[in-house]
Amino acid sequence: MIYEGKQKIWSEYQKEIPDDHYFYVRSCIRQSFFPASEATFLDITRNRLGKDIFETEHHTTCGGIAYHSDTIPQETVMTIIARQFALMAKNGYENYVCSCITSFGLYCETMETWREFPELEAKIRENLWKTCKLEFAKPKFLIHASDLIYKYRNLIAAQAVRKLVNVHTGEPLKVVEHIGCHYSKMFPSKGVGGAEYPYVLTGMIEAWGGEIVDYPERRHCCGFGFRQYFIKGNRGYSLSNTHKKFESMEPFKPDLIITNCPGCPYFLDRWQYVIAESTGKTYGPDGHGIPALTYEEVAGLVMGYDPWDLGLQTHQIGPEPLLDKMGVEYDPAKKYLGKNGKNIGEPLPCTCLKG
Amino acid sequence: MTPLFHLLAVQAADPEVIDRIPSGYSHFVIPFTIGITFMLCWIGVGCIRLLAAIPQSDRLKFWKSLFLPKTIIKNLKDLFGDCLLHVKIWQRKPLLGYMHSAIAFGWFMLIVLGHIEVALFVPARLNVTRGGLFYPIFYRYFVWMNPGHTTLRGSFFFFLMDFFLLYVLSGIALAMFKRFRSIVLGMRHTTKPSLADRVALYSLWMIFPLRLLAESFTADLSGGSFLTVGVNHFWHLLFGDKLWFTPCWWAYSICLGLFFAAMPFSRYMHILTEVLWILLRNAGIQPHHPRKGVAEAEIYACSSCGLCLDACPMNVQKKNLKYSSVYFIRFLRRHNEKKINAIADKCLMCDKCHALCPVGVDAPALRRAQRATVNNSLPYDYSYLPSACAGQLSEQKVLYFAGCMTHLTPRIIKAVDRVFKAAGVEYAFADRDGGICCGRPLMLAGKTEAASKVIEANKKLIVESGCDTLVLSCPICYKIFKDEYHLEGIKVVHYTQFINDLIASGKLKVEKIDEKIVYHDPCELGRGCGVYYEPRAALGQAGTLVKASKEYDESVCCGGSLGSLTLDTRDRARISESSLEILLAEDPETIVTACPLCLKTFSEAVSNSRLPRKNVAVKDFAEVFCR
Amino acid sequence: MVDFGFGLVPSSRINLDLFDKDKYEELAAVEPDVRICMACGSCTAVCTAGKFSTTSLREAIEDIKNAQPAKAVEMLQACQLCGKCSMVCPRGINTRHLILSITKTYSTK
Amino acid sequence: MKNNILIIGGGPAGLEASAQLQRMGYNVILIEKAPKLGGHLAKWDRLFPDSVPADEVLGGLLRSAEGVKCFTDTDVRAINRLDKSYNVRLTNGITVLSDAVLVASGFDLFDAVKKEEYGYGIYDQVMTNADLEAYFKTGSDKRIENPGRIGFAHCVGSRDEKSGCRSCSKVCCATAVKQAIEIKQAFPKAEVYCFYMDLRLFGRHYEDIYLKAQKEYGVRFIRGRLAEVSENYDGTLQVKAEDTVAGKPLKVTLDLLVLMSGMRPSASGKAIGDLLEMTVEEDGYFAVRSGIAAGQRSPIPGIFLAGAATGPKTLPETLADARAAAMEIDRYLTEIFPDAKNYKQLVRERW
């Protein structure tokens, strides 16, 4: 691997990310899968970095899942998106930050479509007026939440209490980065580092002291694939795709997977369990899995957040070996206690996969 | 010195023959006795083994055949004609025929007459316990001719013995000459002899000159005729009375011994095995295995004469000589599996070697059997056959089956249709939309079991069509439909025959035009099915038929044959070219053939070959009758 | 093991890393023509058996080269050795011998 | 009077045209921006289809062009069109008054880095056709150490609108087949795969080397564009393509991947074109008066074109094109140029 070659490509895919005043929209599924991630994001940006970041309870789904499952037409989706933009404008913001990759891709797609077909934009404007009596303004900057963390990666590193380093060996942790497909594969120029060698997560890992693992199937989808997962008859394909990725990364012995998409950490996490329980194969050391975390969780870990506040207990793959490696202190007794101190319920033990 | 007139004396008084060596034994007979005993044991054991390897039913058939008058006559005719007189060689190459018959028949007569002499003059010596094995052979050594009691009978035998000895010697002289200049005897290629062959060959060459030497040395004592006595006089003139006849008899015996000892390992085994093979062949027994049973007889019946070398179409290139039948049989004999398979697969199966073989060794059948040992067990899946043959054919008396290859030469289908229409023949087209294969290629490749499945499916289709005549334009199909389909009540004809009948019965009018036509005999049609006459008769009506330099059963394969599994395109092209040359001997304007493969091959060869003549037309048989 | 009602799906992907070179060389030694196919498909187009089954010599050669010999062997079982393919092959491949050789070399029976 | 002719580009086309024009008695000035004459030919080891040494061919070209005024390391600084002639200022300070200008600016090899998914410049074991030729010439390249499996990716930067090139580069298929054979000769035990979309082996003997590669060298040709390359743990490459003949996705591990970089219009040629205000077509190559009947004449009178400046060409095509250009220049300088009175009329009729 020639690092300079990659740097050359990264230098060609740089993206302008605004400094402050962001309009934040959450992800439908992240809120239920890993709710602490978005909370951590807001906490870091607002309280640790001191940025103005606004969110409104009126925003809705972008319609992306329905769109990619071919259940609603494009114009409907565009109108939903136009409404979100209207909310942003109404609240006086022009830097649109989304938590979801599907949304990000869809926003990019919509804006590009409008650019190519202005008559469609006019029609959507009309639709939005007819349905909601709202007028929208297109965002000046459309960015993904991970772009923001990428932008402030060095500030975060400066505030970090620990690095992505194995405290026992002193070796940097080996990190697999997994970018959501819709982040830059559709529009390479919209993503930091482009589509082939995306830099957005790599930049964070490098800044926080980890070592990036470049495994052969890194470009591939996590396996979610919308219709592949939603329809049970296709679910084997979803699983097989994830399996292919793990088979490919296995020889590199990664300590951690970092993701920036709602579905990816979920499927890279849960499918490890399914693979283990149905085939007996595990990919981490000693029957453990490889933890698949969100970038906010990783940022939180280096910044010294409590792992249970970061929601690491909501992962199927137990984070403890990783926490031990990083030297993170945690109270095992509090793992399944909610914010209110009550037990949130514990998963049953697995047969093959070690907690 | 025996005065000459004694030999001519008419009066005879007892005893005419006196034991010169009363014991009837001398040490010099040992080499011969060992040799012949070894050989007889070998052949005895071999015969038993061979007959044991034949299936029970075939063995029964064989024994029965020996007592059927019809086969007895045929056996006698073949044994005399093929083994002794070599009629088949005489027919094609007279000088070579003379050579073979001189050695075989001459030697045979020497042995028979020798035994008759012993039987007449010293009958007691025929007893095995009294030297019956060697005594008749070395008769002249052991006896003393009573000079005062020679008879006409005795002289007659002396004369015959000398005559046949001379006859054999002339054959041997030709054989020696052939070793060095085979072309004089009509053979372009001869076989490469193996070590045992060489030992046997040189012993054989030596046997008869030594016999002449030995017998001529003793001719003044034990009698002789014009040759031995004449030579005897010469020796006396040359050496006086000091004749070393014991060393000569030793040498003679050693050569005989060597020859017989080497015989089982050499080509000369054929002299005896041929008899068994002819008997088995005439009993109608087919080989089931390339090496065992009948095949063994066939293998050992091969005299390695090499006539098949020149016959083989592959041998336009010297590098392919090694694939000839004679070597195939030699390697079968030696159990050289690797070479056997390579040679078996290479053959075009044109059957010419079989047609020309002096002893009728069916090498292509052995090759097929050899292929079957490898290929018959290969997996196949013809589960689609029922659906492939499911269609309903329109009911017509005449059914035409084009076959796979004909579908690649649609001109044949078109021509057949036009001829049939012109002659008012109503017919159904069995495979208009493409049918399945006839099974012959599978058969040729040794996949007999798979072939039977294809045959079964086609047979059903044909029987259910309700036709009474099946016309085939492809000789490959024709061969297998005729031999293996057993379509009772349905006349299976090749379109050359059918069209010839149409012309003969006046249904098809043919206008004779001034066109020089040469007819190529497709292998499967000519040698395969014996159809030589009808196509020529029909073509004679349409134009001037000229000769090819080789035709009928000597016709050369076009090179496109499906028989070969491994012959490559370049080798095939060379064969096509030489085959074309043969056809163009009398400068015809048109080459006519009656096989889709030959048609395609020649059409391409005419334009691709390096031959100067490119304007010759290649036509299908039917096309001639619809111009 | 838990039955989730779904599981790993066998991959249809060709993995050339599984290609058995020795075996292929064994085949190429008996029938070198296997090397020169240019996948024009003439053989498949004229195939007598191909009209009634899914057999294709072109595809079988591909399968051999793509490390899927079992597919090739199975496909070629429908062949009747009629030889039409050898007549139309532009490269003059000895198709029938190739078919027999593939079956011989790769058949597990 | 001897006319001055300026030839821009000292590759095969420029050299051949110089030699021809010099033979005709013209005063030829050849400029080359590189320090050495020969263009891409000087960097190549052997040439398809017969593997003739490139040095031999270049040597021949140089010998026949002996006596031509040559400026290497020289580019054009400015060009003014006078009445009929061109006043050309060179970067070495010399000014040439030229009656005809031949642009033989050739081509650039596609920068394989731009095909990011192939990882040239990123993965250790990826090289280009030019790198491989350099290896054949020098015998050393750290990427080549007894490779077991070698892949050739055809059409890198050719027939790829995303790389900005719709058309075929014409020479890569034959080059790939040639290099596949040569690498097999160097490493007989290696397995060689060529990933192609169409094999465009149109020239005489080209099909022969294709057959030779299959038959004698066992090169495997896979119809499918190489789509993705990644690096394995051990530094080997995992490449993916579709075998479009089999209709199945395919992957294979390679020890070496050679990218067949195609031809792109020469960047420095384009700069000269800009100075001359020459028309460039959509594909980036210079426009000609007529692609069929006047392939060596630019739309501007007195400006001629030869070689790959007007699109991808094989070497023999380039040389033939250069000879044709020489003939065209001669025709122009004898039939049109001298007639000062009717010059414009003649140009209208005959250019």
Side-chain angles (χ1 to χ4, degrees):
Chain A
M1 192 71 69
I2 305 159
Y3 190 73
E4 298 73 35
K6 272 196 188 177
Q7 282 179 312
K8 208 177 141 202
I9 287 187
W10 291 333
S11 67
E12 278 167 27
Y13 291 101
Q14 284 305 319
K15 153 175 186 183
E16 201 180 336
I17 302 165
D19 289 329
D20 205 351
H21 311 297
Y22 312 105
F23 179 77
Y24 183 61
V25 280
R26 296 200 185 212
S27 151
C28 313
I29 58 176
R30 254 156 76 91
Q31 292 179 72
S32 46
F33 291 166
F34 308 107
S37 288
E38 288 178 341
T40 308
F41 173 80
L42 290 173
D43 189 64
I44 291 172
T45 44
R46 276 182 187 144
N47 305 330
R48 300 289 189 102
L49 303 172
K51 301 295 173 189
D52 166 30
I53 187 151
F54 174 84
E55 65 167 341
T56 164
E57 71 275 26
H58 296 296
H59 89 75
T60 64
T61 175
C62 68
I65 288 175
Y67 176 61
H68 290 298
S69 305
D70 290 344
T71 54
I72 58 170
Q74 192 183 25
E75 282 181 24
T76 310
V77 155
M78 285 181 168
T79 311
I80 297 172
I81 288 168
R83 184 179 165 275
Q84 322 279 35
F85 289 166
L87 289 177
M88 174 190 72
K90 206 171 128 186
N91 290 293
Y93 285 87
E94 51 188 9
N95 303 328
Y96 196 95
V97 179
C98 49
S99 165
C100 176
I101 290 284
T102 305
S103 305
F104 178 72
L106 201 50
Y107 294 138
C108 289
E109 186 183 333
T110 300
M111 305 246 288
E112 285 297 304
T113 311
W114 289 346
R115 194 169 60 80
E116 293 271 346
F117 304 97
E119 68 280 7
L120 191 57
E121 186 187 335
K123 193 176 175 196
I124 298 301
R125 202 169 284 282
E126 196 187 321
N127 285 353
L128 184 65
W129 182 253
K130 279 183 187 162
T131 50
C132 308
K133 295 286 178 291
L134 280 174
E135 286 225 48
F136 74 88
K138 282 187 280 183
K140 191 174 171 197
F141 291 101
L142 175 66
I143 56 166
H144 185 251
S146 62
D147 292 338
L148 246 184
I149 298 292
Y150 164 79
K151 184 178 171 75
Y152 297 121
R153 66 192 186 283
N154 294 324
L155 288 179
I156 290 170
Q159 294 185 27
V161 299
R162 62 177 70 84
K163 287 187 155 192
L164 292 173
V165 166
N166 185 328
V167 291
H168 307 293
T169 62
E171 297 277 319
L173 292 181
K174 286 185 179 164
V175 185
V176 157
E177 48 94 34
H178 179 88
I179 306 292
C181 294
H182 292 186
Y183 175 69
S184 60
K185 277 182 201 157
M186 292 190 290
F187 302 100
S189 62
K190 308 280 186 219
V192 176
E196 291 295 334
Y197 311 94
Y199 190 58
V200 60
L201 295 177
T202 302
M204 296 179 203
I205 297 307
E206 283 179 355
W208 303 337
E211 184 189 312
I212 268 301
V213 161
D214 226 339
Y215 68 108
E217 302 289 1
R218 71 187 144 74
R219 294 177 176 93
H220 278 255
C221 171
C222 63
F224 178 21
F226 301 95
R227 277 161 292 185
Q228 270 62 38
Y229 172 72
F230 291 141
I231 297 165
K232 194 174 177 186
N234 290 346
R235 213 164 278 170
Y237 293 108
S238 170
L239 183 69
S240 302
N241 199 73
T242 312
H243 177 253
K244 181 161 83 176
K245 287 181 75 74
F246 279 104
E247 288 290 316
S248 177
M249 72 174 80
E250 190 186 14
F252 295 84
K253 297 190 173 65
D255 296 302
L256 164 68
I257 301 169
I258 180 170
T259 62
N260 72 343
C261 178
C264 305
Y266 186 79
F267 286 93
L268 293 175
D269 183 63
R270 304 298 198 268
W271 278 164
Q272 281 194 75
Y273 158 74
V274 173
I275 292 167
E277 297 305 300
S278 60
T279 71
K281 176 103 191 236
T282 51
Y283 293 95
D286 314 321
H288 289 278
I290 305 169
L293 306 184
T294 67
Y295 58 95
E296 295 103 325
E297 287 165 345
V298 178
L301 281 179
V302 297
M303 292 179 90
Y305 283 69
D306 182 84
W308 309 141
D309 286 347
L310 288 173
L312 296 192
Q313 65 276 60
T314 60
H315 289 259
Q316 182 76 52
I317 305 297
E320 289 85 351
L322 174 71
L323 299 177
D324 292 341
K325 261 186 244 176
M326 288 177 71
V328 179
E329 281 172 22
Y330 58 93
D331 182 356
K334 289 186 177 163
K335 184 172 180 182
Y336 294 109
L337 296 183
K339 286 267 179 198
N340 54 8
K342 283 184 186 165
N343 193 302
I344 57 169
E346 279 181 47
L348 291 172
C350 309
T351 328
C352 296
L353 188 70
K354 277 195 196 153
Chain B
M1 283 282 281
T2 313
L4 200 63
F5 68 86
H6 281 302
L7 298 168
L8 302 168
V10 178
Q11 257 331 103
D14 283 340
E16 190 181 333
V17 173
I18 297 159
D19 266 337
R20 193 169 68 83
I21 314 284
S23 67
Y25 171 80
S26 171
H27 289 313
F28 80 84
V29 303
I30 293 170
F32 163 77
T33 312
I34 292 172
I36 192 96
T37 311
F38 171 71
M39 192 275 284
L40 288 175
C41 290
W42 182 280
I43 199 163
V45 172
C47 277
I48 293 164
R49 266 188 50 216
L50 195 152
L51 289 172
I54 294 174
Q56 177 74 31
S57 57
D58 279 357
R59 205 159 41 234
L60 215 67
K61 203 168 152 193
F62 173 65
W63 296 127
K64 267 189 203 159
S65 80
L66 295 181
F67 300 100
L68 284 173
K70 208 176 133 196
T71 32
I72 292 173
I73 294 168
K74 187 156 172 39
N75 281 343
L76 286 174
K77 188 179 146 259
D78 283 0
L79 289 174
F80 244 86
D82 292 354
C83 299
L84 297 176
L85 301 178
H86 290 89
V87 177
K88 281 186 186 156
I89 311 181
W90 272 98
Q91 282 166 350
R92 293 186 200 270
K93 314 246 156 85
L95 203 55
L96 199 64
Y98 173 80
M99 183 197 100
H100 279 88
S101 66
I103 301 172
F105 183 60
W107 197 0
F108 174 74
M109 287 311 286
L110 283 176
I111 296 166
V112 171
L113 290 170
H115 280 75
I116 292 174
E117 271 188 314
V118 176
L120 284 176
F121 301 113
V122 273
R125 291 293 181 191
L126 278 181
N127 193 328
V128 180
T129 52
R130 298 197 57 198
L133 201 58
F134 57 82
Y135 194 88
I137 309 300
F138 305 113
Y139 173 64
R140 289 291 148 90
Y141 178 83
F142 293 115
V143 296
W144 181 65
M145 207 41 67
N146 189 344
H149 299 277
T150 48
T151 60
L152 184 61
R153 193 178 58 167
S155 314
F156 175 66
F157 278 108
F158 284 140
F159 172 75
L160 279 183
M161 291 297 271
D162 270 18
F163 171 78
F164 281 111
L165 182 57
L166 185 64
Y167 183 37
V168 176
L169 282 169
S170 66
I172 295 284
L174 272 174
M176 291 181 181
F177 187 62
K178 176 188 147 241
R179 257 303 115 195
F180 306 108
R181 290 289 310 276
S182 62
I183 193 72
V184 179
L185 281 86
M187 286 179 79
R188 216 138 32 99
H189 301 110
T190 55
T191 48
K192 269 202 201 124
S194 65
L195 181 68
D197 282 346
R198 275 177 217 274
V199 173
L201 175 72
Y202 298 132
S203 329
L204 182 63
W205 283 3
M206 294 306 294
I207 286 169
F208 296 96
L210 280 170
R211 180 179 177 135
L212 175 64
L213 204 65
E215 287 193 351
S216 66
F217 278 172
T218 47
D220 49 355
L221 299 172
S222 53
S225 187
F226 63 93
L227 184 65
T228 40
V229 172
V231 177
N232 180 276
H233 280 288
F234 178 70
W235 296 141
H236 280 290
L237 279 177
L238 215 61
F239 305 117
D241 274 353
K242 290 180 84 182
L243 300 183
W244 315 272
F245 52 78
T246 316
C248 284
W249 284 99
W250 264 101
Y252 176 43
S253 169
I254 289 170
C255 276
L256 277 172
L258 263 179
F259 177 74
F260 287 121
M263 200 164 154
F265 313 105
S266 77
R267 49 192 266 189
Y268 299 97
M269 197 60 190
H270 82 92
I271 298 169
L272 296 168
T273 329
E274 231 177 286
V275 176
L276 184 61
W277 157 237
I278 286 171
L279 298 180
L280 286 165
R281 186 182 75 191
N282 289 348
I285 302 171
Q286 289 287 318
H288 293 284
H289 188 277
R291 190 64 186 67
K292 291 178 193 154
V294 189
E296 185 143 31
E298 215 169 341
I299 290 165
Y300 282 97
C302 168
S303 67
S304 215
C305 68
L307 280 175
C308 51
L309 288 175
D310 284 349
C312 184
M314 287 193 286
N315 292 347
V316 285
Q317 285 168 289
K318 222 173 161 194
K319 70 172 174 90
N320 287 335
L321 270 173
K322 57 177 179 287
Y323 299 116
S324 297
S325 293
V326 55
Y327 293 116
F328 174 62
I329 287 170
R330 180 181 287 183
F331 290 123
L332 270 179
R333 212 157 144 171
R334 293 184 190 165
H335 296 274
N336 189 331
E337 285 302 325
K338 209 175 159 196
K339 281 192 175 163
I340 297 171
N341 283 325
I343 300 178
D345 287 353
K346 194 65 92 174
C347 173
L348 289 158
M349 299 287 195
C350 74
D351 215 36
K352 195 170 166 185
C353 52
H354 176 208
L356 265 55
C357 179
V359 279
V361 171
D362 191 353
L366 292 181
R367 296 201 202 225
R368 262 199 321 273
Q370 179 61 36
R371 290 175 183 186
T373 61
V374 183
N375 295 344
N376 213 7
S377 58
L378 295 180
Y380 64 91
D381 176 8
Y382 294 162
S383 49
Y384 58 85
L385 284 180
S387 67
C389 299
Q392 192 69 44
L393 293 171
S394 67
E395 205 160 303
Q396 292 290 351
K397 289 269 170 251
V398 177
L399 182 68
Y400 171 57
F401 185 93
C404 319
M405 281 297 168
T406 309
H407 282 282
L408 279 180
T409 47
R411 52 195 276 201
I412 299 181
I413 294 173
K414 228 170 158 181
V416 166
D417 182 62
R418 282 169 70 185
V419 169
F420 281 8
K421 278 203 179 118
V425 179
E426 297 279 327
Y427 74 103
F429 194 159
D431 54 344
R432 185 185 300 279
D433 302 318
I436 57 165
C437 180
C438 62
R440 178 71 178 156
L442 283 166
M443 209 70 151
L444 285 170
K447 292 191 74 158
T448 38
E449 203 187 297
S452 67
K453 296 280 184 291
V454 176
I455 291 172
E456 211 176 286
N458 269 327
K459 193 172 168 177
K460 188 168 163 280
L461 181 83
I462 288 156
V463 170
E464 283 174 4
S465 81
C467 68
D468 63 11
T469 307
L470 174 66
V471 184
L472 301 145
S473 53
C474 174
I476 304 163
C477 302
Y478 178 54
K479 169 83 180 157
I480 196 164
F481 272 99
K482 216 170 126 260
D483 292 356
E484 309 283 345
Y485 273 62
H486 310 296
L487 293 162
E488 273 77 28
I490 298 173
K491 205 174 141 204
V492 178
V493 288
H494 190 244
Y495 74 148
T496 53
Q497 298 168 313
F498 192 75
I499 292 174
N500 187 47
D501 282 351
L502 290 178
I503 297 168
S505 61
K507 283 185 191 142
L508 182 68
K509 299 274 174 289
V510 183
E511 199 189 331
K512 185 160 182 158
I513 60 160
D514 186 25
E515 187 181 6
K516 270 165 86 181
I517 296 172
V518 69
Y519 173 69
H520 168 78
D521 289 288
C523 305
E524 296 273 51
L525 187 63
R527 284 183 292 268
C529 302
V531 178
Y532 297 110
Y533 164 76
E534 295 93 330
R536 285 186 169 80
L539 289 172
Q541 307 269 320
T544 318
L545 206 56
V546 299
K547 283 185 166 310
S549 61
K550 282 178 188 160
E551 44 183 17
Y552 297 95
D553 63 348
E554 288 196 23
S555 145
V556 179
C557 171
C558 65
S561 166
L562 284 175
S564 175
L565 296 173
T566 51
L567 202 64
D568 70 24
T569 349
R570 283 182 189 197
D571 285 359
R572 284 175 183 270
R574 292 292 297 276
I575 294 169
S576 309
E577 213 171 271
S578 93
S579 192
L580 264 184
E581 227 171 340
I582 287 161
L583 290 170
L584 297 179
E586 290 192 16
D587 216 17
E589 294 159 83
T590 308
I591 296 170
V592 174
T593 181
C595 167
L597 260 179
C598 300
L599 182 71
K600 199 160 164 43
T601 311
F602 281 136
S603 305
E604 281 163 15
V606 163
S607 48
N608 295 341
S609 80
R610 291 165 300 173
L611 294 177
R613 275 207 55 195
K614 297 232 173 184
N615 56 346
V616 63
V618 180
K619 279 189 195 163
D620 175 63
F621 178 79
E623 286 179 307
V624 176
F625 302 99
C626 56
R627 13 177 215 227
Chain C
M1 298 292 153
V2 182
D3 180 11
F4 292 92
F6 59 93
L8 293 175
V9 181
S11 174
S12 65
R13 181 164 72 176
I14 295 160
N15 185 351
L16 288 183
D17 294 349
L18 302 177
F19 177 67
D20 185 343
K21 197 182 175 199
D22 294 339
K23 199 95 178 163
Y24 179 75
E25 288 303 325
E26 205 178 289
L27 170 68
V30 288
E31 189 42 79
D33 285 357
V34 67
R35 295 187 198 277
I36 62 173
C37 171
M38 48 182 183
C40 72
S42 302
C43 48
T44 309
V46 296
C47 181
T48 297
K51 190 162 186 268
F52 311 106
S53 67
T54 52
T55 189
S56 159
L57 176 57
R58 193 267 303 149
E59 212 172 313
I61 295 173
E62 279 283 317
D63 288 339
I64 292 289
K65 293 178 178 173
N66 284 339
Q68 295 169 333
K71 269 173 75 188
V73 171
E74 204 197 321
M75 187 174 280
L76 294 179
Q77 287 192 23
C79 171
Q80 297 175 15
L81 289 179
C82 76
K84 278 174 88 179
C85 45
S86 66
M87 300 304 284
V88 296
C89 178
R91 278 269 171 98
I93 292 175
N94 194 347
T95 52
R96 298 184 329 135
H97 188 240
L98 179 57
I99 291 165
L100 287 170
S101 304
I102 289 174
T103 316
K104 268 181 230 172
T105 313
Y106 290 98
S107 183
T108 44
K109 274 180 204 164
Chain D
M1 182 196 106
K2 268 178 150 184
N3 300 84
N4 277 349
I5 300 167
L6 177 72
I7 297 183
I8 302 166
L15 287 169
E16 178 68 16
S18 314
Q20 298 295 339
L21 289 165
Q22 181 177 244
R23 266 191 62 244
M24 293 173 184
Y26 293 104
N27 188 26
V28 181
I29 301 110
L30 176 68
I31 64 163
E32 165 60 49
K33 69 172 191 326
K36 248 178 75 184
L37 292 171
H40 295 278
L41 186 57
K43 295 173 200 150
W44 235 245
D45 184 52
R46 278 165 286 176
L47 306 172
F48 66 79
D50 305 319
S51 280
V52 175
D55 286 346
E56 211 171 84
V57 176
L58 181 57
L61 287 171
L62 290 172
R63 268 193 302 283
S64 60
E66 253 167 43
V68 171
K69 271 184 222 68
C70 258
F71 300 116
T72 52
D73 277 321
T74 304
D75 212 339
V76 176
R77 179 157 290 156
I79 300 181
N80 300 327
R81 183 171 162 99
L82 307 175
D83 195 13
K84 292 189 293 181
S85 305
Y86 292 89
N87 188 24
V88 186
R89 208 141 54 77
L90 303 179
T91 50
N92 59 4
I94 294 171
T95 301
V96 178
L97 187 65
S98 179
D99 296 338
V101 176
L102 174 65
V103 179
S105 52
F107 66 93
D108 286 346
L109 269 181
F110 173 75
D111 178 11
V113 171
K114 288 187 182 149
K115 281 301 282 182
E116 290 168 15
E117 63 268 39
Y118 294 166
Y120 180 65
I122 290 178
Y123 304 137
D124 295 323
Q125 292 305 105
V126 183
M127 63 180 352
T128 63
N129 42 4
D131 297 338
L132 187 59
E133 286 296 328
Y135 166 76
F136 287 139
K137 253 177 119 84
T138 61
S140 87
D141 188 303
K142 66 174 170 34
R143 288 167 284 206
I144 301 178
E145 200 184 317
N146 200 15
R149 285 210 183 107
I150 303 154
F152 285 85
H154 293 220
C155 298
V156 176
S158 307
R159 303 184 71 196
D160 179 4
E161 302 211 26
K162 282 198 173 164
S163 305
C165 180
R166 186 189 304 143
S167 61
C168 165
S169 291
K170 227 175 175 182
V171 295
C172 329
C173 280
T175 304
V177 174
K178 177 200 82 112
Q179 291 187 341
I181 290 174
E182 286 167 349
I183 200 103
K184 254 308 243 192
Q185 286 168 342
F187 305 102
K189 285 198 180 135
E191 283 169 58
V192 178
Y193 302 93
C194 282
F195 294 89
Y196 69 95
M197 294 202 290
D198 289 300
L199 276 176
R200 301 194 161 182
L201 295 161
F202 52 89
R204 193 176 180 192
H205 300 315
Y206 295 6
E207 194 73 18
D208 299 348
I209 58 168
Y210 170 40
L211 182 61
K212 191 162 118 184
Q214 284 185 301
K215 201 174 175 175
E216 292 168 35
Y217 295 95
V219 175
R220 170 81 202 280
F221 289 86
I222 296 166
R223 190 187 183 282
R225 189 185 189 95
L226 202 68
E228 184 186 312
V229 182
S230 2
E231 203 170 64
N232 287 318
Y233 188 64
D234 58 0
T236 57
L237 302 165
Q238 174 188 287
V239 308
K240 287 184 185 172
E242 185 197 354
D243 181 341
T244 60
V245 176
K248 290 271 182 323
L250 171 151
K251 82 162 201 188
V252 62
T253 307
L254 298 176
D255 297 319
L256 183 69
L257 175 66
V258 185
L259 305 178
M260 304 311 296
S261 279
M263 289 190 188
R264 302 296 299 124
S266 154
S268 53
K270 190 177 178 303
I272 287 159
D274 290 345
L275 292 176
L276 284 162
E277 292 175 339
M278 276 164 73
T279 333
V280 166
E281 286 187 21
E282 194 198 345
D283 61 6
Y285 291 102
F286 291 121
V288 292
R289 216 33 208 104
S290 154
I292 292 168
Q296 294 78 29
R297 260 177 272 160
S298 84
I300 307 165
I303 308 280
F304 295 83
L305 293 154
T310 54
K313 284 180 187 61
T314 64
L315 189 57
E317 284 167 347
T318 295
L319 298 179
D321 202 44
R323 276 170 230 136
M327 292 302 292
E328 286 274 29
I329 293 171
D330 180 55
R331 192 186 70 103
Y332 169 75
L333 291 180
T334 50
E335 286 182 11
I336 303 174
F337 188 83
D339 192 345
K341 210 166 75 193
N342 299 316
Y343 177 74
K344 280 193 176 148
Q345 172 78 21
L346 284 171
V347 161
R348 261 199 301 282
E349 283 168 10
R350 299 195 194 169
W351 183 257

